[in-house]
Amino acid sequence: MSKYSIYSRELYLQPTWPRIEACYSKTWRNFAMQPHAHQRAEVMYVLKGGCRVFYQDGEEERELRMGAGDFVFIDGGTAHRLYAGDKQTGYLLNVEMSFEPSPGVPFVLSALRSACEDFKAFLCQRRPVVCGRDERGDLFKAFNFLLECHLRQMSDPMERCRTDAAMLSFLMQLSGALASSRQGVGGMVHIRRAQDYIQSHYDRPLRLAQIADKVGVHPSYLEKLFKRVLDCTPTEYMTRIRVSRAAFLLNNTDRPVIDLALECGFTSRQHFARCFTRLMGISPAAYRAKTTVPGAREIFLFEEADSESI
């Protein structure tokens, strides 16, 4: 294990605390980073958009597809690279940290390991790359505060204590989010990625195998995740998205129903009418004719603006 690793035994035999080497927000677009490794541990957090992170696992290069709210911890000495294509911009928070002796500092890694079960469980994994999803947004808040404190410290060294406290909160929220991902909620990462993909491609033919391939899991596993968490299959979820978009267009345009049906990914007007009536409790024509639809089940799940927000 590298001495620059957060898992290194030496870090817990003496007072040691992370030192921020870099902490920033950045927009990546049409960028392909060259493979590299450095002595610093690194955490990337996707604020909006998406990117792909590749890392070396033995002799094999593995890939992580990351969307808004996803984060990854990369241990020191781990070869990795980032890719952000020209079709999707990635807005990221990033912190790089080294570990150094910290005599006199009120926070030490060994004390955090003893006091925080989530951090202890994180260390027990001893994995060079660990990813998760910030479902509640707590890690984002801690990350944002850490960035704010680091910027203050750059102009006023007396702010070091505040930065150390912010780092404590950040490490606790990081390990807590990783614990949530391990405890069955980890499937939410795959579900959210599938949701994002469906919401971006609902207007074209989609098969379960195609969605699962984009997410990086087996189709049957993805279907089980959807049924367990959302009580529907990916195909049923896609139909809801299509019907939701169609309902929006019916309310806000006077375009022919068949045009709307095809635009929303339905293969025919009849297929659209059946799906719409089953989910909304009223036919498309009747829905458009009424300003208020008594008893209709509003299922507006289409997230054109918010699907990438925290």
Side-chain angles (χ1 to χ4, degrees):
M1 187 68 64
S2 167
K3 67 178 181 178
Y4 307 110
S5 168
I6 196 172
Y7 308 115
S8 176
R9 181 171 177 267
E10 286 73 15
L11 299 184
Y12 303 90
L13 297 178
Q14 60 181 322
T16 307
W17 193 244
R19 174 183 174 181
I20 296 176
E21 302 290 349
C23 188
Y24 54 88
S25 60
K26 190 162 185 175
T27 301
W28 300 96
R29 186 171 188 178
N30 197 22
F31 178 79
M33 181 182 291
Q34 293 299 311
H36 68 287
H38 44 66
Q39 300 171 357
R40 306 174 299 278
E42 182 173 1
V43 179
M44 298 181 190
Y45 185 109
V46 181
L47 278 173
K48 189 177 180 182
C51 65
R52 288 187 284 169
V53 173
F54 299 85
Y55 67 95
Q56 203 67 29
D57 184 9
E59 296 183 355
E60 183 178 355
E61 185 180 62
R62 297 189 181 275
E63 175 186 357
L64 294 174
R65 294 174 181 265
M66 300 178 63
D70 292 341
F71 64 91
V72 60
F73 169 84
I74 303 173
D75 199 25
T78 305
H80 61 281
R81 62 187 178 92
L82 179 142
Y83 174 78
D86 57 359
K87 294 183 178 180
Q88 187 175 34
T89 302
Y91 302 83
L92 276 70
L93 292 176
N94 186 283
V95 62
E96 299 176 11
M97 65 189 89
S98 60
F99 306 99
E100 61 178 27
S102 54
V105 174
F107 310 107
V108 293
L109 286 173
S110 58
L112 178 59
R113 181 182 61 180
S114 299
C116 180
E117 288 298 322
D118 288 341
F119 186 70
K120 184 176 181 180
F122 162 51
L123 295 178
C124 287
Q125 294 184 84
R126 302 180 73 81
R127 291 165 53 191
V129 175
V130 190
C131 62
R133 182 167 182 81
D134 184 26
E135 292 293 339
R136 298 184 302 179
D138 293 334
L139 178 59
F140 164 69
K141 295 175 185 176
F143 212 140
N144 197 47
F145 183 57
L146 181 64
L147 175 58
E148 176 186 328
C149 292
H150 177 63
L151 292 175
R152 287 184 181 181
Q153 185 185 336
M154 291 177 66
S155 58
D156 183 1
M158 298 301 292
E159 291 287 334
R160 171 68 189 267
C161 186
R162 184 193 296 267
T163 304
D164 288 336
M167 175 60 75
L168 173 64
S169 174
F170 174 75
L171 292 176
M172 292 179 68
Q173 295 298 343
L174 174 68
S175 54
L178 289 171
S180 296
S181 296
R182 289 193 303 273
Q183 295 166 2
V185 192
M188 288 300 298
V189 174
H190 303 308
I191 289 175
R192 186 57 179 175
R193 288 173 183 165
Q195 288 177 312
D196 289 344
Y197 185 76
I198 290 170
Q199 290 166 9
S200 299
H201 300 82
Y202 69 93
D203 57 345
R204 64 198 70 178
L206 285 179
R207 301 176 64 88
L208 174 61
Q210 178 184 353
I211 300 170
D213 179 65
K214 292 297 182 181
V215 174
V217 298
H218 193 276
S220 62
Y221 175 66
L222 182 64
E223 192 160 43
K224 288 178 182 178
L225 282 178
F226 264 73
K227 288 291 290 183
R228 188 182 72 206
V229 177
L230 300 178
D231 196 30
C232 69
T233 66
T235 301
E236 290 167 342
Y237 179 83
M238 179 170 56
T239 300
R240 294 181 185 181
I241 294 295
R242 288 170 170 169
V243 168
S244 295
R245 179 58 173 169
F248 174 82
L249 294 174
L250 284 168
N251 266 334
N252 293 276
T253 73
D254 58 0
R255 294 167 57 194
V257 172
I258 182 59
D259 290 353
L260 304 185
L262 295 176
E263 180 180 320
C264 293
F266 293 98
T267 56
S268 68
R269 179 169 181 160
Q270 292 75 17
H271 179 218
F272 168 57
R274 285 196 303 272
C275 293
F276 192 97
T277 303
R278 174 168 54 85
L279 290 173
M280 300 297 286
I282 193 169
S283 70
Y287 183 89
R288 170 174 269 175
K290 297 185 180 224
T291 304
T292 303
V293 187
R297 287 168 284 177
E298 299 290 348
I299 57 165
F300 291 103
L301 302 177
F302 189 77
E303 302 178 60
E304 186 173 45
D306 297 332
S307 64
E308 296 177 342
S309 62
I310 300 300

